[in-house]
Amino acid sequence: MEMFLEMLNRPADAFNRGDQKLAWSLVGISIAVVTVFDVLMRYLVNGNDYPVEINLLKLALLAGLGVLTYLGICGILWGVCKLLGSQTGIEVYLRTWGLTYIPTIICGITVVLVEVYFTLFWNNSIWGFMLNIVLVGILIWKTILYVVFLKEVAGLDGKKLAGAFVLCGIGILILAFINMIMGLKTPIL
Amino acid sequence: MKSNGDDFIKKALKSLEEEAKPNPKQKQIMLGNLLSQMQTGEGSGKERSGLSRFGNMVTVYPWRFGFGISAIQAVLFTLMFGSNYTNFVLQLLGR
């Protein structure tokens, strides 16, 4: 719990500590949210109105895609940062990037709830307003973690940091697009 | 008997002391941070710059900054565009 709070409130310290167990747990929870939780909520809430198909093979494939996405983003971060002079090894990225997944989990849960209760939220100013704050806030939060990660873990600064931000950002957008096409509504990034 | 007890306590304290020492990787990170602070003038008796203070405010409790800015933009744009804006964000990020 202490490590979790550290990641929540002082991400730079958490990155330096690099708790692999917490990082991979967060990745696992993110994947579970966008696969199992999504289907479960649709089945429980909408199951009476129309048949909700539970395809275990598809869920396993999506979970596998989630793991591949994690490996992919770590590879992109490592490759780009290495090109820009970072000395950090790929194993450090693999055991640290997952620490940035707290906003991803919250985003995943929010997206599932928005989709399941869409009629409740659509055209409702108050709910729309609240969700707007949550979703945009998550986006800003994740971006801050991304920058802190490049600074603390990859050890980049100044122009190199800006370059890595843009190049890795392009990689992130491509992976997010692939995730969306394949059916992961919240990218495992 | 007493000296055995003292030895045990001494050993325990020594092992605690050893544990508390930073490992080579942590030393490297600490050195990097110190060098970076020296370059930016932090910790050398100079006042921390406004930019540095802002950076610290953003990176410590990043969720607070994220949701704070988000709340401001939500209020501003919802006042300007009404539910068209909230629907647009919902469609873009939530579905």
Side-chain angles (χ1 to χ4, degrees):
Chain A
M1 193 61 191
E2 196 186 322
M3 304 281 185
F4 180 82
L5 288 176
E6 184 180 53
M7 186 55 229
L8 204 63
N9 300 327
R10 284 173 286 112
D13 295 346
F15 287 143
N16 286 328
R17 194 192 295 272
D19 189 333
Q20 177 180 315
K21 216 159 102 180
L22 176 64
W24 290 2
S25 303
L26 291 173
V27 176
I29 295 170
S30 304
I31 294 173
V33 165
V34 292
T35 52
V36 180
F37 181 67
D38 179 42
V39 171
L40 204 66
M41 282 304 287
R42 277 194 287 126
Y43 181 77
L44 292 175
V45 178
N46 299 329
N48 289 335
D49 301 328
Y50 56 85
V52 175
E53 185 197 359
I54 299 179
N55 187 338
L56 290 178
L57 180 67
K58 192 182 168 194
L59 281 184
L61 284 174
L62 284 178
L65 177 67
V67 175
L68 279 180
T69 307
Y70 183 69
L71 296 176
I73 183 61
C74 288
I76 289 172
L77 288 165
W78 171 73
V80 170
C81 294
K82 197 172 173 60
L83 274 178
L84 291 166
S86 170
Q87 301 292 319
T88 311
I90 190 161
E91 72 283 354
V92 181
Y93 290 87
L94 285 170
R95 67 162 187 262
T96 321
W97 176 248
L99 293 171
T100 68
Y101 277 45
I102 299 173
T104 309
I105 294 170
I106 301 171
C107 183
I109 295 171
T110 311
V111 168
V112 170
L113 294 179
V114 168
E115 224 181 49
V116 170
Y117 297 105
F118 194 72
T119 47
L120 190 73
F121 297 128
W122 190 252
N123 269 333
N124 184 317
S125 303
I126 295 169
W127 274 116
F129 180 73
M130 300 299 283
L131 283 168
N132 184 331
I133 293 175
V134 172
L135 291 170
V136 176
I138 287 169
L139 203 65
I140 299 170
W141 181 9
K142 184 80 184 186
T143 310
I144 295 168
L145 292 181
Y146 172 44
V147 175
V148 175
F149 180 88
L150 290 175
K151 196 168 161 39
E152 297 293 330
V153 179
L156 299 175
D157 231 327
K159 283 178 185 168
K160 284 182 178 177
L161 175 66
F165 180 86
V166 174
L167 291 175
C168 294
I170 294 168
I172 287 172
L173 287 178
I174 293 170
L175 283 179
F177 187 66
I178 294 171
N179 271 209
M180 301 289 239
I181 288 176
M182 302 293 275
L184 283 173
K185 290 160 197 165
T186 300
I188 308 298
L189 292 166
Chain B
M1 190 66 191
K2 190 172 181 294
S3 74
N4 277 349
D6 286 349
D7 284 350
F8 175 75
I9 291 169
K10 274 180 191 167
K11 276 181 188 169
L13 285 173
K14 200 177 172 188
S15 70
L16 273 176
E17 201 179 326
E18 290 294 322
E19 280 294 309
K21 283 181 183 167
N23 62 33
K25 187 177 175 276
Q26 286 170 322
K27 282 181 188 168
Q28 194 63 37
I29 291 168
M30 285 157 74
L31 179 65
N33 286 343
L34 274 175
L35 289 173
S36 156
Q37 280 176 5
M38 281 172 69
Q39 275 177 346
T40 53
E42 287 173 28
S44 58
K46 293 179 187 172
E47 279 290 305
R48 291 179 73 192
S49 68
L51 194 68
S52 161
R53 271 196 304 235
F54 177 73
N56 196 44
M57 190 184 84
V58 173
T59 54
V60 179
Y61 296 97
W63 53 269
R64 188 175 60 180
F65 182 80
F67 289 120
I69 294 290
S70 180
I72 293 169
Q73 64 83 29
V75 170
L76 282 178
F77 290 121
T78 309
L79 281 175
M80 282 195 272
F81 305 110
S83 60
N84 284 339
Y85 176 65
T86 52
N87 283 346
F88 167 72
V89 174
L90 270 185
Q91 208 163 23
L92 195 71
L93 299 174
R95 197 178 162 101

